[in-house]
Amino acid sequence: MTTSEPYVIVGAGHAAGQAATSLRMEGYEGPILLIGEEPYHPYQRPPLSKAYLAGELELERLYVKPPDFYASNNIETRLKTRCLALDRGACQLTLSDSTTVAYDKLLITTGTRVRELPVTGIDLEGVHYLRTIEDVDGIQSGFAPGAHLVVVGGGYIGLEVAAVAQKRGLNVTVVESEDRLLKRVVGEEVSAFFERVHTEEGVKILTGHQVSEFSGGSKIEAVKCANGTEIRADMAVVGIGIVPNQELAQDAGLACDNGILVDACCRTEDPKIFAAGDCTQHPNEVFGRLVRLESVHNALEQAKTAAAAMCGNEKPYNQVPWFWSDQYDLKLQIAGLNQGYDELVVRGQMEERKFAAFYLKDGQLLAVDAVNSVPEYMVSRKLIADRAMIPADRLADTSIPMKQVAQDLK
Amino acid sequence: MPKVTYIEFDGTEHQVDVASGLSVMEGAVKNMVPGIDADCGGACACATCHVYVDPEWKDKTGEPNEMETSMLDFAEEVKDNSRLSCQIKMSDDLDGLTVRLPESQH
Ligand SMILES: Cc1cc2nc3c(=O)[nH]c(=O)nc-3n(C[C@H](O)[C@H](O)[C@H](O)COP(=O)(O)OP(=O)(O)OC[C@H]3O[C@@H](n4cnc5c(N)ncnc54)[C@H](O)[C@@H]3O)c2cc1C
Ligand code: FES
């Protein structure tokens, strides 16, 4: 059946940019409409807390595809436009400019938004979140050597901001409510490593501190904690997690549970509607459960899978998740998901900032955090996919090259 | 502006202008040259931007650093002239550079 209604993509982020490209690569020649609330064409977020924040990368280099790519591939874009409602019966979307658009098929790539910190003073000048280009532009305006920066939240984004700011000569304090940094994502030994490195670099780390107020006149002057600690601040960056943008789907009656539920081909329960990226809760065969991931790799791969499915092709997405983070001279590469591990094996020298932490469950490799250790990371990606069982003593033995460790399993 | 020729595995050629300062990977992505995935956007974290540098350009493009070398060690079909294209920065000296793409990036 041919129809003149477009394939509509809602949310113009990383997944959307890839999906639009992939639809064309799948051979779909009909109209595509990309709707996004941000003023920019799809761009990459990882540099926002790394090279772009450091001023080492220009805006143009953030784009997933150059802005003129869309027009030249007959992809219509409507930016600065929010999609307010989805009417599945009428196959129609209501937009913030009061218009409606009909879709033949719909792909939801609405991503996530920052988790808000509900404390007094959050609206003060100088208090920022970090998710968009505009957020970074705001942060940079106060990024002067000697300024006092408080980073609220010791997750990857917070720690990357701390690293960039410290290098720039700011006085940086990281405030974390949990008893250790990165608690949600890495084991205790690895948390301790990051705390040590940041401390060595000159960042002040306060774990177990709950921020209760940002104080000041119109502009922030201090961050107050529930235990009475008060920290001088000229600016603050809050990074305490994100929540999936699932309301559009949920309000239209699509099943959601910490993300929009999709199958391995990114299909929702509505045959005309697909979803991809940070906003989805999807099956991961390697780990045998549903997951919601916040990573570029996941956004790109799900976008390719969704585009294929929209064109009637099944390319199920079943890969080992991976992620990276850059802080100072540390190149952290992470593969797999460590939830449920019962053993953590460290290979290499933490003191030398070169090691890998392997997470095992009943002897099976679930995940790795590799710091300046490419072989450990690359080999683990494969071993995790193979659900390999590996003796802990061999993993820990640096006299056996990582390739050999893998080969000897065969 | 310096030019780069990308040759796909099937022989299809793409000659494009790539501004100095951009990477050879960015030149491909911006100009819709298929065959370079560049999942990590140039962070030297994914090894999906693998290319073969034509032998006469090997010296001019320089030596890969330690990180790139160890990433390449795990790519498929690695040869002497393999490079991660996100780590080759364009300059006028590289005007006319030719790189060939592998069959697959995974
Ligand atoms: C600072 C920072 C650093 C990061 N670093 C890394 C890293 O090093 N490695 C890594 O793998 N990942 C990293 N990530 C995560 C990565 O950026 C995300 O996983 C990725 O952007 C997800 O892509 P997406 O397309 O699913 O969602 P997004 O990129 O979030 O895009 C969703 C878009 O949809 C728009 N939208 C939402 N609702 C609507 C609506 N109703 N109507 C219209 N538009 C809407 C949003 O405004 C947004 O532009 C980082 C993220 C941030 C913020
Ligand atoms: S783009 Fe990822 S390593 Fe080159």
Side-chain angles (χ1 to χ4, degrees), chain B residues 8-86:
Chain B
E8 287 183 59
F9 189 74
D10 69 6
T12 312
E13 287 195 19
H14 304 262
Q15 198 188 66
V16 301
D17 295 330
V18 185
S20 291
L22 293 191
S23 68
V24 171
M25 174 279 283
E26 286 175 289
V29 170
K30 285 189 190 309
N31 292 285
M32 314 334 144
V33 176
I36 292 186
D37 291 350
D39 288 353
C40 76
C44 202
C46 71
T48 64
C49 62
H50 178 197
V51 299
Y52 306 111
V53 173
D54 257 21
E56 66 260 39
W57 291 97
K58 232 188 124 205
D59 288 344
K60 278 203 171 152
T61 47
E63 290 295 317
N65 66 17
E66 193 193 330
M67 174 96 187
E68 182 187 343
T69 307
S70 45
M71 290 290 289
L72 274 171
D73 200 22
F74 294 90
E76 299 287 324
E77 302 287 332
V78 183
K79 300 180 194 164
D80 267 0
N81 57 342
S82 285
R83 288 294 307 269
L84 293 180
S85 56
C86 69

Side-chain angles (χ1 to χ4, degrees), chain A residues 177-367:
Chain A
S177 60
E178 298 285 356
D179 58 355
R180 59 185 176 92
L181 300 175
L182 296 168
K183 186 167 185 175
R184 206 170 51 93
V185 282
V186 303
E188 266 175 55
E189 291 86 338
V190 181
S191 290
F193 168 78
F194 278 97
E195 177 158 349
R196 204 200 72 223
V197 167
H198 279 274
T199 307
E200 282 172 7
E201 297 287 342
V203 172
K204 199 163 164 201
I205 305 281
L206 297 177
T207 53
H209 281 60
Q210 181 89 43
V211 169
S212 56
E213 184 184 342
F214 297 99
S215 63
S218 62
K219 199 173 171 304
I220 180 176
E221 286 162 17
V223 176
K224 292 182 178 166
C225 301
N227 63 5
T229 307
E230 192 170 322
I231 312 147
R232 178 178 164 191
D234 303 311
M235 62 186 298
V237 176
V238 181
I240 56 165
I242 55 179
V243 283
N245 289 323
Q246 63 186 33
E247 292 75 9
L248 190 68
Q250 197 167 22
D251 295 346
L254 291 169
C256 294
D257 180 10
N258 180 26
I260 303 166
L261 286 170
V262 294
D263 68 8
C265 290
C266 295
R267 297 176 286 220
T268 68
E269 63 204 287
D270 184 322
K272 282 178 170 286
I273 305 180
F274 304 76
D278 278 15
C279 68
T280 70
Q281 176 78 232
H282 60 272
N284 184 293
E285 204 179 276
V286 181
F287 293 92
R289 60 186 160 92
L290 293 177
V291 294
R292 191 176 66 73
L293 301 175
E294 297 157 12
S295 83
V296 164
H297 169 246
N298 176 65
L300 293 176
E301 294 304 321
Q302 279 201 309
K304 293 177 197 169
T305 290
M310 291 170 85
C311 297
N313 301 321
E314 294 212 355
K315 289 189 184 164
Y317 157 68
N318 269 314
Q319 298 187 17
V320 174
W322 61 267
F323 186 83
W324 75 95
S325 176
D326 299 334
Q327 297 163 40
Y328 312 108
D329 57 343
L330 308 181
K331 193 95 198 169
L332 170 65
Q333 293 171 296
I334 300 154
L337 301 170
N338 64 19
Q339 281 80 3
Y341 75 94
D342 54 26
E343 189 176 8
L344 193 158
V345 179
V346 175
R347 173 187 174 93
Q349 292 304 320
M350 286 189 156
E351 299 72 40
E352 287 162 25
R353 300 189 176 190
K354 188 177 169 70
F355 70 93
F358 299 97
Y359 300 84
L360 302 163
K361 183 176 189 202
D362 301 327
Q364 183 191 326
L365 183 61
L366 295 182

Side-chain angles (χ1 to χ4, degrees), chain A residues 10-16 35-38 43-50 81-84 109-112 130-132 157 160 245 248 276-279 293-297 299 322-325:
Chain A
V10 172
H14 219 130
I35 302 168
E37 67 181 332
E38 289 189 66
Y43 61 89
Q44 315 175 58
R45 291 182 207 282
L48 296 186
S49 49
K50 308 178 182 78
T81 307
R82 189 174 164 76
C83 189
L84 302 176
T109 52
T110 44
T112 52
L130 176 41
R131 180 86 197 158
T132 65
I157 293 178
E160 288 178 352
N245 289 323
L248 190 68
D278 278 15
C279 68
L293 301 175
E294 297 157 12
S295 83
V296 164
H297 169 246
W322 61 267
F323 186 83
W324 75 95
S325 176

Side-chain angles (χ1 to χ4, degrees), chain A residues 33-232:
Chain A
L33 171 61
L34 188 61
I35 302 168
E37 67 181 332
E38 289 189 66
Y40 300 98
H41 287 85
Y43 61 89
Q44 315 175 58
R45 291 182 207 282
L48 296 186
S49 49
K50 308 178 182 78
Y52 184 71
L53 179 64
E56 292 161 5
L57 202 70
E58 310 84 74
L59 176 73
E60 295 73 51
R61 297 179 72 180
L62 293 179
Y63 289 120
V64 173
K65 292 284 172 203
D68 60 11
F69 161 82
Y70 301 92
S72 54
N73 283 276
N74 193 22
I75 298 163
E76 187 190 340
T77 49
R78 276 206 217 169
L79 304 178
K80 296 189 212 165
T81 307
R82 189 174 164 76
C83 189
L84 302 176
L86 159 61
D87 180 344
R88 292 204 282 139
C91 293
Q92 207 175 56
L93 297 158
T94 306
L95 310 183
S96 53
D97 58 8
S98 306
T99 59
T100 56
V101 292
Y103 59 83
D104 179 13
K105 285 181 183 160
L106 174 66
L107 175 60
I108 304 177
T109 52
T110 44
T112 52
R113 60 180 177 273
V114 294
R115 186 182 296 282
E116 290 177 8
L117 182 61
V119 300
T120 311
I122 188 77
D123 296 326
L124 286 178
E125 190 189 330
V127 181
H128 306 272
Y129 289 105
L130 176 41
R131 180 86 197 158
T132 65
I133 289 175
E134 285 154 330
D135 291 337
V136 181
D137 294 346
I139 293 168
Q140 271 173 337
S141 66
F143 234 55
H148 290 257
L149 165 69
V150 175
V151 174
V152 182
Y156 289 121
I157 293 178
L159 294 180
E160 288 178 352
V161 171
V164 172
Q166 185 66 29
K167 263 167 105 180
R168 182 73 74 80
L170 280 78
N171 291 305
V172 187
T173 307
V174 175
V175 182
E176 165 61 54
S177 60
E178 298 285 356
D179 58 355
R180 59 185 176 92
L181 300 175
L182 296 168
K183 186 167 185 175
R184 206 170 51 93
V185 282
V186 303
E188 266 175 55
E189 291 86 338
V190 181
S191 290
F193 168 78
F194 278 97
E195 177 158 349
R196 204 200 72 223
V197 167
H198 279 274
T199 307
E200 282 172 7
E201 297 287 342
V203 172
K204 199 163 164 201
I205 305 281
L206 297 177
T207 53
H209 281 60
Q210 181 89 43
V211 169
S212 56
E213 184 184 342
F214 297 99
S215 63
S218 62
K219 199 173 171 304
I220 180 176
E221 286 162 17
V223 176
K224 292 182 178 166
C225 301
N227 63 5
T229 307
E230 192 170 322
I231 312 147
R232 178 178 164 191

